[in-house]
Amino acid sequence: MNFIISGKNIEVTDALKERIEKKLSKLERYIKLNTDVHVTLSVEKISHIVEVTIPFHGMILRAEERSNDMYSAIDLVVDTLERQIRKFKTKIAKRAKDAESLRYMTFDIEEPEKEATEENGEFRIAKTKRFPIKPMSVEEAILQMNLLGHNFFVFLNQDTDKVNVVYRRNDGAYGLIEPEY
């Protein structure tokens, strides 16, 4: 695995790098060796935050954990990633489909200068994400949404060939938004 480690409001020391590489190396049994692992460490007031993004088996795994200590946040994020991988593998096995049918999504993220605020009656866009939309089933879109830890996911429905949105409802169920043209 290739580790890309960056820090916000914190200096990334050699000890932190070693701890991250040692802990995340446990995931090598699941993940290809030439995979890039993006790790961002940040500090906000008393919270130490570790965010990890890993392309995995045609999907993107993402986990973020907070703690009062950076080392315990690293441990928590590794536990979260292992849980996600096990959940992913279980779902794939249950669906009895070939895992190669899942699509790989890449994101082009433009970082904002400030938080989105309403200024002079106008709204400012805080973040823009661009990604190629590839056809997938509703089930694959829900799986991708859950792996990313998001509440919604935009995708091209392979059955209707239209852009759809799946989202998690407050009652725990999922919703599907289909546009009418």
Side-chain angles (χ1 to χ4, degrees), residues 51-70:
E51 180 181 327
V52 179
T53 305
I54 307 171
F56 168 73
H57 214 333
M59 305 296 273
I60 295 176
L61 289 175
R62 184 185 173 285
E64 179 180 314
E65 290 294 337
R66 296 172 181 261
S67 179
N68 292 337
D69 175 47
M70 188 61 75

Side-chain angles (χ1 to χ4, degrees), residues 1 23-32 35 37 52-63 77-94 99 102 143 146-148:
M1 290 192 289
K23 289 293 187 173
L24 290 175
S25 293
K26 291 172 33 177
L27 303 176
E28 282 187 337
R29 60 183 165 196
Y30 306 112
I31 299 171
K32 296 177 187 172
T35 301
V37 178
V52 179
T53 305
I54 307 171
F56 168 73
H57 214 333
M59 305 296 273
I60 295 176
L61 289 175
R62 184 185 173 285
V77 82
V78 170
D79 293 342
T80 301
L81 287 167
E82 283 183 319
R83 238 184 348 267
Q84 286 180 357
I85 292 169
R86 283 195 305 272
K87 184 177 178 181
F88 170 75
K89 291 181 86 173
T90 302
K91 283 190 177 191
I92 293 300
K94 283 183 181 177
L102 298 176
L143 180 59
N146 288 335
L147 285 172
L148 289 171

Side-chain angles (χ1 to χ4, degrees), residues 10 42-50 65-71 73:
I10 187 172
S42 58
V43 177
E44 294 176 2
K45 296 185 180 178
I46 62 168
S47 291
H48 292 77
I49 305 163
V50 178
E65 290 294 337
R66 296 172 181 261
S67 179
N68 292 337
D69 175 47
M70 188 61 75
Y71 291 99

